[in-house]
Amino acid sequence: GQPREDDDAVIIKRSWVLAAIDAHTKLGITPSGRKRVGFDVADSGDDKNAQVLMEGIEATLVEEWKGREDELLKSAGRVHKKARETGADIDYDSIGVGAFAGAHFQALNAEFQVSLTYRRFNASDGVINPDERIDPNDPQSRTNRDYYANLKAQTWWDVARRFRNTFNAVERGMPYEPHDLISISPDCDHLDRLIDELSTPRRDFDKD
């Protein structure tokens, strides 16, 4: 069947993601800023490796490929090559087999005599800026430490905020700074899969 346009239980609504397709063009924004490659490392089984290239606020490339655990070096090489070609930093999932990716990137930097920046992302890490308020304008709002269970929750919520802002900007004409928005190139491969992946995770609240 067809997926629901929106589900109130999800973190990112499907309509928000659809509004972000080519949003920078719709809003007359020229994407600029840091380039980065996000690398999701496959664990095992049917899971696939994936990389997404962000150029400023725009996702310009989405790739996925099958790679066994013993082929992590090959997969890391593919990501490192894309980063070299585009002048991007690398953000990689360091859980499971991804824990070894940093060592591979270090070796590849030495092999190609470059100094690409690579940063680990551990979803279970503590939140960033734990003592900051969820709403900076409300001194009574909860802190990041109290509101988010871990870094994964915090970053998903931040991405959702940018998609929601983009929907409001595209569909309702509300003004936002470009860095608070997100755009997806309509030329990306696996676009339908990306939309589904973004609009599937559901919210979960701890009892306290």
Side-chain angles (χ1 to χ4, degrees), residues 110-150:
E111 178 181 348
F112 290 97
Q113 298 183 334
V114 296
S115 55
L116 290 180
T117 299
Y118 53 93
R119 288 176 293 268
R120 60 184 284 278
F121 178 87
N122 187 328
S124 62
D125 277 352
V127 300
I128 300 171
N129 301 321
D131 296 319
E132 285 190 3
R133 300 285 177 182
I134 298 301
D135 181 354
N137 299 316
D138 180 4
Q140 302 302 317
S141 65
R142 299 175 69 180
T143 64
N144 288 331
R145 185 201 314 275
D146 293 332
Y147 193 75
Y148 301 114
N150 50 35

Side-chain angles (χ1 to χ4, degrees), residues 39-44 47-50 65 67-69 72 97-98:
F39 177 29
D40 185 18
V41 187
D43 287 330
S44 59
D47 199 13
K48 292 183 179 180
N49 294 280
W65 64 95
R68 299 190 304 269
E69 290 185 21
L72 177 58
V97 293

Side-chain angles (χ1 to χ4, degrees), residues 40-107:
D40 185 18
V41 187
D43 287 330
S44 59
D46 294 330
D47 199 13
K48 292 183 179 180
N49 294 280
Q51 66 174 341
V52 175
L53 173 64
M54 294 292 298
E55 302 189 40
I57 67 168
E58 183 191 12
T60 59
L61 175 139
V62 177
E63 291 183 341
E64 65 174 9
W65 64 95
K66 189 68 178 174
R68 299 190 304 269
E69 290 185 21
D70 60 352
E71 295 178 323
L72 177 58
L73 179 56
K74 183 186 298 184
S75 293
R78 178 170 179 166
V79 174
H80 195 270
K81 178 181 179 182
K82 180 58 65 177
R84 295 197 310 273
E85 293 172 345
T86 58
D89 298 344
I90 300 171
D91 296 309
Y92 68 96
D93 176 10
S94 65
I95 291 186
V97 293
F100 304 100
H104 291 324
F105 291 136
Q106 182 179 30

